[in-house]
Amino acid sequence: MLFRDITLLDCNYEARSHQNVLVRGEKIVYAGPEMPSAEGELIYDGRGRLLVPGFFNMHCHVPMTLLRGYGEGLPLRRWLTEKMFPFEATLTPEEIYWGALLGIAEMVAGGTVSFTDMYLDTDRIFDAVEESGIKANLSSSAMDPARSKSHYRELPAFAHTKYLMDRVRAAAHDRIHAEVAIHAEYTTTERIVSEAAAFAAENKMSVHLHLSETEAEHAECRKRHGLTPAAWFDQMGAFEVPVTAAHCVWLEEADMALLAERGVTAVNCPSSNLKLGSGIAEVERMRRLGIRVAVGTDGAASNNNLDMLEEINLASLLQKGYYRDPVAADGHAMLQIACANGAAAQRRPDCGSIRAGNRADLTVVDLWRPHLQPVHDPTANLLYSARSSDIVMTMVDGRILYKDGDFLTIDVEKVMAKVKEIVEKRR
Ligand SMILES: [Zn+2]
């Protein structure tokens, strides 16, 4: 496919107009002002449109779309233990599958090309990712909240992780990566964390975990172990491998230095942190200290959507307000956070920006809309004026998954009907 005469955000996230982008197979083979020879290729008229690298949603629990709007108005610990965990304990793999597909449909319609997910039973999430054509780093979350002295290998998460690894290895594509997930400090033990971390290191896998999400969690960890959650995880060896750490709201100065030194990716989830009253993560400070920051929506139960454009808009505004600095978290920084940083944290070196040789993970925004005209600065219009409903195409590895309101790989009517059924059964 040739995107002809389109405005794009280049590999430095600078806007360039009148560009041509040729996609062949799963890759971008040309991006620039020249007209490449494109005989026989489908032509996409790019006038009035903006081509953006697709978003990486770096912290999600995708089947939690089933719990959208459920258990509202409770503090985090009660919300988790009284509402989320009991509901989730009744979910069958089949129901997880439909919830995952619903979340994936929402994400591709919003320009997300890949997501990093943490759940327990990942088998049917794998199917949903595979069938839909999106990319994902999946993981099954190790938890032992009762501190039963279990070994990592005795947990259901271990069996799920092994099975996930086998399926990833056997897949005919590299769209799905397997990671090791450790739920959080307050739901695990020293034994589980050190064994899970050793398993990840042995198998050259990344670790996905929740880190210092709430003030209470951070303070209780200090009381329990005499260490902050970051220092505790580090002591258990969890930071010996690449880590994606969700939230990072209550990090202390020394924690931030540690994350920078260990190359941990901090995932900012502003909607979830505001909605659950957790606080505001210091994204600008983390960036200045050299921490790689990414953005995630978290699950739909605490957001309550999987809209990455809304997430980066909120993240940017929050940082400006928090630091009382209009220059903080500008468009360039936010797009790097939403695209390249996510791709790097997912260990996908040929993703995250529009350049020849990279995977064709692309999103098209229709700028010919009243709230997006005129276009003085395409990046500003994207970040501060656009809505995800302005997205008219999402392509992953050169394959169109969503176009002009149509889902090309997901029977979205069937998915919504199934989800309605699943929820109504429980009323
Ligand atoms: Zn989470």
Side-chain angles (χ1 to χ4, degrees), residues 52-56 105-114 134 306-309 339 361-364 388 391 393-396 402:
V52 182
F55 303 127
F56 283 72
E106 184 183 351
M107 283 194 272
V108 297
T112 292
V113 292
S114 189
I134 199 169
L306 308 179
D307 185 334
M308 281 291 287
L309 203 46
C339 304
D361 295 338
L362 302 167
T363 293
V364 179
S388 59
I391 288 167
M393 185 199 281
T394 300
M395 174 185 269
V396 176
Y402 175 82

Side-chain angles (χ1 to χ4, degrees), residues 112-391:
T112 292
V113 292
S114 189
F115 65 105
T116 289
D117 204 73
M118 179 196 288
Y119 213 63
L120 180 60
D121 187 347
T122 48
D123 193 34
R124 295 290 277 147
I125 302 176
F126 187 105
D127 292 335
V129 171
E130 183 146 72
E131 289 164 24
S132 68
I134 199 169
K135 293 177 181 168
N137 284 24
L138 301 179
S139 60
S140 178
S141 164
M143 281 176 87
D144 184 14
R147 298 180 192 280
S148 66
K149 299 197 166 57
S150 299
H151 288 278
Y152 178 52
R153 284 168 192 273
E154 295 162 355
L155 299 181
F158 178 73
H160 288 304
T161 305
K162 287 286 283 181
Y163 189 53
L164 177 63
M165 289 164 70
D166 289 344
R167 291 196 68 185
V168 166
R169 234 175 266 131
H173 55 80
D174 62 357
R175 286 189 289 104
I176 305 177
H177 293 182
E179 297 187 347
V180 168
I182 301 168
H183 181 262
E185 178 276 329
Y186 61 94
T187 46
T188 48
T189 59
E190 282 91 340
R191 174 176 281 172
I192 300 249
V193 175
S194 55
E195 290 178 358
F199 179 79
E202 261 164 49
N203 292 284
K204 299 189 167 46
M205 291 162 87
S206 303
V207 164
H208 186 190
L209 45 82
H210 292 105
L211 186 69
S212 292
E213 179 176 2
T214 66
E215 189 174 18
E217 164 202 338
H218 190 85
E220 279 167 25
C221 177
R222 268 192 163 288
K223 221 157 104 191
R224 196 163 22 238
H225 305 294
L227 294 167
T228 63
W232 184 76
F233 275 123
D234 187 49
Q235 202 175 71
M236 298 300 125
F239 293 173
E240 299 295 318
V241 297
V243 171
T244 299
H247 304 302
C248 300
V249 178
W250 290 92
L251 294 185
E252 298 175 24
E253 186 88 43
D255 295 334
M256 290 192 190
L258 182 63
L259 262 59
E261 192 191 314
R262 296 280 194 256
V264 173
T265 301
V267 184
N268 182 214
C269 305
S271 295
S272 175
N273 296 152
L274 289 178
K275 189 151 188 292
L276 293 171
S278 305
I280 298 171
E282 295 183 290
V283 169
E284 273 300 277
R285 189 164 163 215
M286 290 194 270
R287 286 183 58 229
R288 276 199 296 270
L289 289 168
I291 297 172
R292 179 161 62 208
V293 179
V295 169
T297 59
D298 208 349
S302 62
N303 183 309
N304 290 359
N305 61 36
L306 308 179
D307 185 334
M308 281 291 287
L309 203 46
E310 186 179 287
E311 214 60 38
I312 57 173
N313 171 273
L314 181 60
S316 170
L317 296 180
L318 269 177
Q319 294 302 305
K320 291 177 191 298
Y322 183 85
Y323 292 101
R324 282 172 275 170
D325 176 6
V327 179
D330 63 5
H332 179 274
M334 290 319 300
L335 283 158
Q336 180 168 5
I337 282 173
C339 304
N341 287 7
Q346 284 198 343
R347 298 161 95 178
R348 299 182 190 272
D350 58 352
C351 297
S353 63
I354 300 176
R355 74 171 90 199
N358 268 12
R359 301 294 178 98
D361 295 338
L362 302 167
T363 293
V364 179
V365 180
D366 184 4
L367 296 171
W368 195 242
R369 300 198 173 183
H371 59 282
L372 293 175
Q373 291 294 320
V375 186
H376 295 294
D377 177 346
T379 312
N381 281 25
L382 175 67
L383 188 56
Y384 301 117
S385 312
R387 305 163 188 154
S388 59
S389 52
D390 302 323
I391 288 167

